[in-house]
């Protein structure tokens, strides 16, 4: 192809007016009058309207072409306030690359149907916007940690042991053995810090939760960090900085996409700059009580409570010092308040709940073994993990960011399934 | 901790001579004389020797501390040509953070033992060097594609269908269903390009190959790209640029690590700048024949053949147009030579074999269905994939880079298992 194709985004400019351009993409909309065909063409960069008139060379193809057909097109750019985006192309050449059969997705289709045809629904303006924001979020995570001297460290995905409880493990037939899909990189990351001190990753994570809420998927991505020598008060600050950095990057790069999604930019600007408060679990109960919700000390915060806390602050809030007894075995007691653990969650507003969770890591093998026993788990599988405490233990901490949770929140999505290309839930595993 | 700790790398400087510094890390080596203790301290940035003399406050702790114990240390920097790195610290304070039990790893231990204690072996100078290079390689891949306008697109890891043959699939018990671990993002990426046009990812990939060679692991990372409108000749050039870009970045950032690994820097400089040739499979057979190796046209290239080709060129070589019959169903025939496919492998020298593989993607549903049938596979599972051809098909191509293959090659590793933190093979799945 000798023609020089330009992104549609670059045709939407006063500089291009009167000039001939060539674009390629897909037919997003089509409207036919007796003597004119209006096509809205999309590519990954944007959309522009193009028009073909009866009597012109391209008219036959313009009439013939169908929604979602692929094409290449040449024509002159004209300003037109009636066209979406304010510019229009007068088509001089139109080549149909792939003529589409009648496209199965119209208006007002059910969520389940759109998931059935996810491979086609990805090309909707909504999904393109989300996928672009997702790419920005992932890039921002890499940039954030690398700019602070962290190394990227990939943990194994197939693991012989559980990390977050055995109930939600996916079993894999591994040659003649059984292995599990990782629930968190954490145990392995704790080995990694003895080599690299400050590490991060972005990797898929799996939890076989039968939950059918709009906030759960069985396969999701976690962006985790682990750092030698760091304490709880340091990692909560890193987490706040990271979340704000991500939002700033999205605001920098994806305003058009946020507009497509109808997201309130002002609100995101607040999230990008506000000081996020840090409170304890005990403080959180007091706030909830004032709102008429009495939770007995020791009970975990559920959906409802997290939603109320999120609304109360209107910005993300870090909650530390959850009750030790309901926390994983590797979260140490706070010496200043031993019935609580040195851990935190960050709760997002607008009902998006926990987006970050982390803790210091215990170096007390005896306590961890007792905790595992209390929870009915053996400690045999963890001997290698305890080794990390026997050979040069250091204070260390880490946290994980739920990538799809953050994307859902930034995009203002109603269902987390839209934050990932091909969602997996208990009932949804195709295509 | 009020002390300001600096990275060990920053103590190795004439500017620091005569000045007091504080560092923290682990004891890498220890040597005791009657009245002196020499400690080599490591952190993630480097190593430095420190010395404590009898009669000084820190001497008792210096005597007591063991290999791989963690510590914080303060002292004055002195130039000393006998010390590794040329500088030494006269210890004034030494605090033991975590006293290590006798470290199980000494000298000359077997490969299997080092894999048994992989969680501890990661902190060896060799593994630290490799892990840092791995982090650079991953960062370079992200940078390369993002700088060219590609979006990061995550495919699902759990898939209902096979991509690279059903023999090497890992089965997952998925609630009441059976799913498989992904063997390639490709089928899903082909849906993604209709939204984003140019996409890439770096993600874990699984193949249940019982192979026990030094070049196979069951869980590995692939960096893949897929692009709308691109043809074979374009993606082979992208692949060459990518590999050179990765090597350049490693040369920029990891010379000290390459030295630790004993890698020939000059050779890598050649790989970073040379023009990589492109030949056809048929050309390759001619070269092999001249070397006394007669391969019947139509047979795939095996280990031995790839090694000889790699040696012949001494730089990576792109081999295109493999016989269509031995290629996957989605690789189209070359119209100019229909018994061959529009596909390529990039073969690395020094016995590192295939590091990249890719192809154009067929848009011919009939041909693909026939191919699947010939291979004894049904096409029912692929209906959604064929849809991508029904609704606005475009020419498109993609390739995948074997991340651990590239790392092995750059680092000059004997076994690919060392290119990943916790390798998984048929016989190795712990820790």
């Amino acid at each position: 192809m000798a023609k020089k194709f330009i992104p549609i985004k670059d045709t939407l400019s006063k500089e291009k007016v009167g000039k001939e351009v060539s674009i390629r993409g897909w037919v997003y909309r089509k409207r036919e009058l007796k003597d004119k065909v209006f096509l809205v063409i999309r590519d990954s960069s944007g959309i522009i309207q193009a028009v073909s008139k009866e009597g012109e060379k391209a008219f036959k193809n313009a009439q013939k072409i169908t929604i979602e057909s692929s094409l290449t097109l040449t024509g002159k750019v004209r300003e037109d306030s009636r066209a979406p985006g304010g510019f229009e192309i007068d088509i001089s050449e139109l080549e149909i690359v792939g003529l589409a059969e009648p496209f199965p997705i119209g208006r007002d289709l059910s969520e389940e149907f759109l998931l059935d045809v996810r491979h086609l629904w990805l090309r909707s303006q909504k999904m393109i916007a989300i996928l672009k924001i997702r790419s920005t979020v992932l890039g921002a995570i890499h940039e954030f940690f690398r700019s602070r001297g962290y190394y990227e460290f990939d943990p194994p995905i197939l693991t012989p042991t559980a990390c977050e409880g055995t109930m939600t493990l996916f079993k894999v037939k591994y040659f003649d053995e059984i292995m599990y899909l990782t629930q968190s990189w954490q145990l392995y990351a704790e080995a990694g810090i003895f080599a690299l001190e400050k590490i991060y990753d972005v990797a898929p994570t799996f939890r076989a939760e039968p939950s059918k809420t709009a906030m759960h998927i069985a396969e999701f991505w976690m962006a985790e960090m682990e750092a030698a020598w760091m304490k709880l008060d340091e990692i909560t600050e890193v987490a706040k900085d990271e979340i704000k950095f991500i939002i700033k990057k999205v605001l920098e790069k994806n305003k058009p996409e946020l507009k497509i999604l109808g997201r309130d930019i002002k609100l995101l600007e607040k999230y990008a700059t506000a000081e996020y408060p840090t409170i304890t679990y005990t403080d959180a109960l007091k706030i909830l009580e004032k709102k008429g919700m009495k939770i007995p000390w020791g009970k975990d915060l559920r959906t409802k409570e997290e939603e109320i806390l999120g609304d109360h602050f209107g910005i993300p809030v870090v909650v530390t010092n959850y009750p030790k007894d309901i926390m994983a075995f590797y979260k140490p007691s706070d010496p200043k308040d031993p019935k609580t653990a040195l851990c935190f969650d960050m709760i997002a507003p607008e009902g998006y709940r926990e987006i970050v969770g982390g803790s210091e890591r215990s170096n007390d093998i005896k306590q961890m073994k007792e905790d595992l026993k209390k929870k009915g788990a053996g400690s045999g599988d963890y001997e290698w993990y305890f080794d990390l405490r026997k050979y040069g233990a250091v204070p260390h901490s880490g946290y994980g960011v739920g990538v799809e949770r953050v994307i859902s929140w930034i995009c203002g999505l109603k269902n987390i399934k839209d934050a990932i290309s091909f969602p997996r839930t208990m009932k949804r595993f195709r295509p």
Side-chain angles (χ1 to χ4, degrees), chain A:
Chain A
M1 282 179 266
K3 263 179 206 159
K4 170 93 181 114
F5 296 101
I6 62 170
I8 285 177
K9 166 170 68 71
D10 295 349
T11 63
L12 303 166
S13 124
K14 286 196 195 275
E15 276 173 40
K16 286 289 187 303
V17 170
K19 291 194 181 128
E20 192 174 80
V21 297
S22 292
I23 58 172
R24 54 190 179 188
W26 292 267
V27 177
Y28 177 55
R29 282 193 199 129
K30 182 177 179 178
R31 189 160 55 94
E32 279 184 274
L33 304 180
K34 213 166 67 182
D35 56 347
K36 273 185 193 173
V37 177
F38 292 94
L39 301 172
V40 178
I41 313 296
R42 68 168 185 87
D43 68 6
S44 63
S45 77
I47 59 171
I48 188 165
Q49 184 162 285
V51 60
S52 181
K53 287 179 200 139
E54 194 169 6
E56 287 168 0
K57 192 176 73 173
F59 190 65
K60 218 169 187 169
N61 275 346
Q63 284 186 305
K64 185 180 163 195
I65 204 163
T66 50
I67 294 287
E68 282 304 318
S69 292
S70 49
L71 80 170
T72 65
L73 178 157
T74 299
K76 265 193 194 155
V77 178
R78 183 166 37 75
E79 263 194 288
D80 192 320
S81 57
R82 295 162 304 175
F87 296 89
E88 194 167 82
I89 296 176
D90 289 317
I91 303 172
S92 55
E93 289 172 47
L94 193 169
E95 192 197 334
I96 299 173
V97 176
L99 188 67
E101 296 182 11
F103 199 60
I105 307 177
R107 280 173 193 274
D108 301 325
L109 290 165
S110 77
E111 195 199 320
E112 284 309 309
F113 176 73
L114 294 180
L115 287 166
D116 287 341
V117 293
R118 187 71 164 189
H119 55 293
L120 301 175
W121 180 238
L122 288 184
R123 42 177 106 173
S124 62
Q125 291 296 295
K126 179 185 169 185
M127 284 308 304
I128 293 175
I130 297 169
L131 290 171
K132 283 186 186 175
I133 290 171
R134 183 180 173 101
S135 180
T136 302
V137 168
L138 296 168
I141 293 166
H142 286 289
E143 190 181 338
F144 177 80
F145 284 112
R146 287 179 177 268
S147 71
R148 291 179 172 221
Y150 285 69
Y151 293 98
E152 190 170 345
F153 176 86
D154 295 315
I157 305 300
L158 290 164
T159 67
T161 36
C163 173
E164 294 282 333
T166 50
M167 299 291 287
T168 59
L169 284 170
F170 284 116
K171 269 188 196 173
V172 181
K173 178 146 180 12
Y174 188 80
F175 301 104
D176 296 330
E177 304 282 332
I178 293 294
M179 292 189 78
Y180 304 99
L181 293 180
T182 182
Q183 297 175 301
S184 163
W185 83 326
Q186 184 196 321
L187 305 188
Y188 293 94
E190 288 186 60
I193 58 158
F194 290 83
L196 301 172
E197 293 187 72
K198 298 199 295 182
I199 56 180
Y200 83 98
D201 85 325
V202 192
T205 310
F206 305 85
R207 298 206 188 156
E209 284 178 286
S211 175
K212 283 174 218 164
T213 80
M215 289 297 278
H216 284 93
I217 40 180
E219 171 183 319
F220 55 100
W221 288 66
M222 290 262 279
E224 303 187 78
M225 67 78 82
E226 191 78 26
W229 309 104
M230 275 202 198
K231 303 261 186 155
L232 182 64
D233 57 341
E234 290 169 277
I235 58 163
T236 54
E237 292 310 306
V238 178
K240 290 174 187 177
D241 289 349
E242 181 187 355
I243 296 297
K244 288 195 240 184
F245 185 84
I246 291 170
I247 298 172
K248 268 183 206 134
K249 285 286 160 186
V250 172
L251 284 167
E252 250 174 67
K253 296 188 180 174
N254 298 110
K255 284 228 177 90
E257 286 74 31
L258 292 168
K259 273 178 202 154
I260 287 169
L261 298 171
R263 191 63 170 131
D264 182 344
I265 307 264
K266 284 266 171 296
L267 198 57
L268 289 180
E269 281 166 351
K270 184 173 86 175
Y271 298 153
T273 51
E275 282 289 321
Y276 300 173
T278 300
I279 63 172
T280 64
Y281 164 86
T282 308
D283 295 335
L285 292 198
K286 283 177 199 156
I287 292 169
L288 290 168
E289 192 170 355
K290 274 185 201 156
K291 310 235 164 200
M293 208 165 197
K294 193 153 169 58
I295 313 293
W297 199 99
K299 266 193 84 177
D300 208 355
L301 301 180
R302 294 164 309 164
T303 308
K304 191 77 197 146
E305 286 91 81
E306 288 189 351
E307 282 173 3
I308 291 173
L309 281 175
D311 284 350
H312 175 75
F313 289 97
I315 51 173
V317 54
V318 165
V319 181
T320 68
N321 290 82
Y322 283 77
K324 166 71 186 149
D325 283 349
I326 55 170
M327 291 290 113
F329 72 97
Y330 53 74
K331 296 185 187 176
S333 275
D334 187 343
K336 289 186 203 138
D337 185 6
K339 66 183 191 306
T340 71
L342 289 164
C343 66
F344 80 102
D345 280 356
M346 187 190 293
I347 296 168
E350 301 178 75
Y352 287 98
R353 304 180 50 202
E354 182 195 335
I355 53 172
V356 188
S359 77
E360 289 192 22
R361 316 307 192 184
S362 177
N363 280 331
D364 183 342
I365 298 173
K366 197 162 150 265
Q367 167 257 307
M368 287 193 280
K369 283 190 175 174
E370 276 166 15
D371 264 34
L372 279 168
K373 210 172 165 182
K374 258 189 234 167
K375 287 173 173 122
S379 53
D381 282 344
Y382 296 97
E383 282 306 330
W384 70 268
Y385 180 70
F386 299 139
D387 273 359
L388 305 174
R389 279 67 187 171
K390 291 182 189 158
Y391 304 106
V394 291
H396 62 291
S397 306
Y399 67 79
V401 172
V403 172
E404 286 77 17
R405 291 265 178 114
V406 168
I407 293 167
S408 293
W409 171 49
I410 291 177
C411 294
L413 303 180
K414 288 205 186 96
N415 196 309
I416 198 166
K417 289 206 274 286
D418 281 337
I420 192 164
S421 57
F422 289 90
R424 302 293 183 227
T425 65
M426 195 165 74
K427 295 282 170 213
R428 168 61 56 189
F429 43 89
R430 288 175 200 276

